[in-house]
Amino acid sequence: IADSPYFAELDAMTNFTEAVSRVLPVLSFFRIFNGNMAKVRAKFDDIRAQRDDILHLPDRFNDHFADRGWVAYETLNVDLMRRAVDLADEGQIETAEAELVAYYDEGTLEFWLRSLRGIPCFKTRLELLDLAKADYLAGRYHASVPVVLAMIDGAANDLGHVGFFAEGAQLVAPNSIAGHVSGITRLAKVFGKTRRKTCTDPLPVPYRNGILHGVDLGYAQKDIAAKCWAALFAVGDWARALAAPANPPKKKTFMENIQQIAATAAIKKRLSEWRPRENVIPHGEKLSASADCEPATPERASAEFLEAWRARNFGKMAATLDRRRGRSTKAAAGDLRKDYAGIYLNAFRLRSVVDSASAISTVDAEADIRTDSDIITTPLQLRMIYKDHEGNPAVRGQAGQWLIVHDPIWIVRGQIFRATSPTPNDG
C-alpha cells in the first residue's frame, strides 16, 4: 500500500519540504520567509518519521489483522490502527482486537452509515442496514451479521456487476487503501472460505458461506458482527475511490506551495491561541431566537436550523447539515421532508454551549415537539463542526460555516417513541 498512488502526494510533499530546507537562506534573503531556520530544519526529521509511520501503517495493520478479518481502510481511525499495531507488535493481539471491536459502537455506526447516503449502491440498502444496526446495538448478532454480509455482497454487485464473494470479483481501485489487493480483495477470500461441515464452535471470522448456508452456527458474537461492519465501511471507501475523478489534480507551483506553508503556519498559530469560551449562555438563561446569538457562532447556526425546522424550510435545514457530503441541497431537503414528516417544532430554547475543540462545539437545547397525536418537551443535542468552503474542518475565524454533524431527528423520534409506549419496557 505504501507504494500505491494513494500516498504519492504525501511522499511528494515530504520531498518538497526537504527541498525548501535547502533554499531557506535564499527565501530569508528575499523576505519570503523570516522564521527561525534552525527550528524549521529541526522539524524535518520529525516530518519524515511521521511520513514513514503513515506510509507503512496500513501494510503493518493488514499483516497483523487481515487473516483475522480486519483490513485497513481510508476512514478507519488512524490512532486506533496505530494502537492496534503497537499492541500486536508486543504480542497482545487479542487486546488489540478487543479495542477494534469496541470502536464499532453506536456513535461510529451512526456517523459512518450516514456518510454512505451519498453512494448510490448503499442508499437503497440503508433501511436494512439501519435495522441491522439496531439489532447489533441490542446484542442480536444472529440477526445483524447475515444482513450486513448480504448488503456487502449486493453493494459490490452494483459496483462491479459481480458479488463481493464471487469468483473473479474485481475489488481493486488504484488510488485506495481499501481497494489495494491486500485490502478487501484479501478480506473477501478470508470471509469467503468454503465451509461444508456443520460447526457449532465460535467462529474466528465471519465465514459468509458457512453462515448464510446454515453450517456455521456459532457466529452470533459481537466480534464477528463488528468485523462485518468494518468490512462494510471498507467497501464504502472502495466505492468512493471508484467514483473519484481519474485525472490527478494539477500540481501546485513553487510559489503556491510556499503560500500553502504560510497558510498552514497561520492556522497552527490560531490553533495554539484558541481557547474555549466560558459561560456562553449564562446559567438559567435560554435563547429562543437566532437574533439573540452572536453571528458566526455554533449557537447561531443551531438556532437558525431550529427556526428553519419550525418554518418547515427543508432547503435551509439541508444547507446547515454536514451529512449532505456533496449531495445537492434539493436532494438533501427531500430526505429531510421524509425524515421530519409528522414531526413539528413549536418552540425551542438553547440552554448551553460547550466548545470542545476549535472546530467542534456541542449545543444543548430543549424543544416543544408536536406530532399528529401528541406534544412533548424533549432535550436536543446538536453537535456542530466548523468547515471551510471546500468541506474541510477549519479553525473558527477562517472563512467557513458551522454545520450540524448529526441532526436531532433520531433523538426526537426516540423521545416520542418512549413518550407514547404503553409501558416503560415495551419495544
Side-chain angles (χ1 to χ4, degrees):
I1 299 175
D3 298 328
S4 70
Y6 184 86
F7 287 113
E9 185 175 352
L10 175 64
D11 207 31
M13 280 303 298
T14 307
N15 293 335
F16 169 78
T17 304
E18 292 176 344
V20 169
S21 72
R22 293 193 290 270
V23 297
L24 278 174
V26 178
L27 297 178
S28 181
F29 178 80
F30 286 106
R31 298 185 182 277
I32 296 174
F33 176 78
N34 292 317
N36 186 312
M37 288 185 288
K39 288 184 178 180
V40 173
R41 288 182 176 179
K43 292 288 186 182
F44 289 147
D45 286 343
D46 290 339
I47 291 172
R48 176 167 286 281
Q50 292 175 30
R51 183 208 64 169
D52 289 344
D53 176 45
I54 294 171
L55 276 176
H56 298 291
L57 185 60
D59 287 312
R60 294 172 64 203
F61 184 89
N62 287 353
D63 287 344
H64 281 300
F65 297 103
D67 290 338
R68 290 173 171 261
W70 310 94
V71 293
Y73 56 93
E74 285 84 334
T75 53
L76 180 59
N77 184 284
V78 173
D79 290 334
L80 174 66
M81 271 202 288
R82 184 178 292 112
R83 191 162 59 251
V85 167
D86 288 343
L87 285 169
D89 285 345
E90 295 168 3
Q92 302 180 57
I93 199 159
E94 289 79 11
T95 303
E97 282 208 81
E99 294 205 19
L100 290 169
V101 171
Y103 172 70
Y104 294 91
D105 59 10
E106 182 174 8
T108 298
L109 298 191
E110 176 72 22
F111 184 84
W112 291 114
L113 281 175
R114 281 180 178 270
S115 78
L116 298 177
R117 293 183 72 151
I119 305 175
C121 67
F122 284 103
K123 184 177 180 180
T124 53
R125 294 176 168 85
L126 282 178
E127 184 175 353
L128 284 171
L129 286 169
D130 281 337
L131 292 172
K133 179 191 73 175
D135 286 328
Y136 174 80
L137 296 175
R140 296 187 292 268
Y141 309 124
H142 68 283
S144 69
V145 168
V147 172
V148 178
L149 287 173
M151 296 305 100
I152 290 171
D153 211 9
N157 182 72
D158 286 0
L159 290 164
H161 307 294
V162 64
F164 185 81
F165 302 98
E167 186 73 27
Q170 297 296 314
L171 306 173
V172 295
N175 196 24
S176 172
I177 294 175
H180 190 265
V181 291
S182 67
I184 57 175
T185 297
R186 183 173 175 183
L187 196 65
K189 293 178 180 177
V190 173
F191 283 17
K193 182 178 178 181
T194 300
R195 307 281 289 180
R196 292 192 175 93
K197 294 183 178 179
T198 297
C199 177
T200 59
D201 295 336
L203 297 181
V205 297
Y207 295 125
R208 180 261 186 188
N209 295 336
I211 293 169
L212 297 188
H213 294 153
V215 295
D216 276 316
L217 308 180
Y219 71 86
Q221 309 159 211
K222 185 174 183 179
D223 60 332
I224 294 297
K227 290 175 183 182
C228 292
W229 287 115
L232 179 85
F233 298 136
V235 172
D237 282 347
W238 169 59
R240 293 186 186 95
L242 291 177
N247 297 324
K250 181 182 176 182
K251 290 185 177 180
K252 293 181 180 180
T253 65
F254 181 81
M255 285 307 299
E256 286 173 336
N257 278 314
I258 292 295
Q259 291 166 356
Q260 180 63 52
I261 290 174
T264 301
I267 290 171
K268 288 182 176 180
K269 185 174 185 294
R270 285 198 194 100
L271 281 171
S272 67
E273 295 173 347
W274 177 82
R275 298 292 183 274
R277 298 171 298 165
E278 295 183 1
N279 204 28
V280 178
I281 302 177
H283 182 70
E285 292 189 16
K286 297 175 183 178
L287 306 181
S288 56
S290 60
D292 298 334
C293 307
E294 291 291 328
T297 59
E299 57 271 21
R300 179 70 169 255
S302 298
E304 289 174 347
F305 174 85
L306 293 170
E307 287 172 341
W309 177 7
R310 186 172 59 198
R312 312 297 284 174
N313 186 337
F314 299 108
K316 190 171 182 179
M317 291 169 70
T320 316
L321 286 184
D322 184 43
R323 78 177 193 184
R324 286 192 302 145
R325 296 187 179 276
R327 302 177 69 235
S328 70
T329 300
K330 183 177 180 181
D335 290 337
L336 289 172
R337 188 180 300 277
K338 296 175 184 176
D339 290 345
Y340 286 76
I343 299 180
Y344 305 89
L345 178 65
N346 284 358
F348 69 88
R349 293 154 301 274
L350 305 187
R351 299 185 301 187
S352 68
V353 182
V354 176
D355 297 332
S356 53
S358 176
I360 299 291
S361 290
T362 301
V363 179
D364 283 309
E366 63 182 17
D368 300 330
I369 306 295
R370 175 172 54 87
T371 69
D372 296 332
S373 60
D374 203 358
I375 296 178
I376 66 167
T377 297
T378 180
L380 298 180
Q381 188 175 84
L382 297 96
R383 188 163 173 81
M384 312 295 294
I385 185 168
Y386 193 69
K387 289 193 171 185
D388 62 24
H389 298 307
E390 295 181 355
N392 302 308
V395 181
R396 54 185 89 193
Q398 290 180 265
Q401 177 187 10
W402 283 101
L403 299 170
I404 297 172
V405 178
H406 293 146
D407 64 284
I409 190 62
W410 66 277
I411 299 176
V412 172
R413 288 191 183 280
Q415 290 291 335
I416 291 171
F417 177 80
R418 286 192 289 274
T420 56
S421 294
T423 68
N425 295 322
D426 183 71

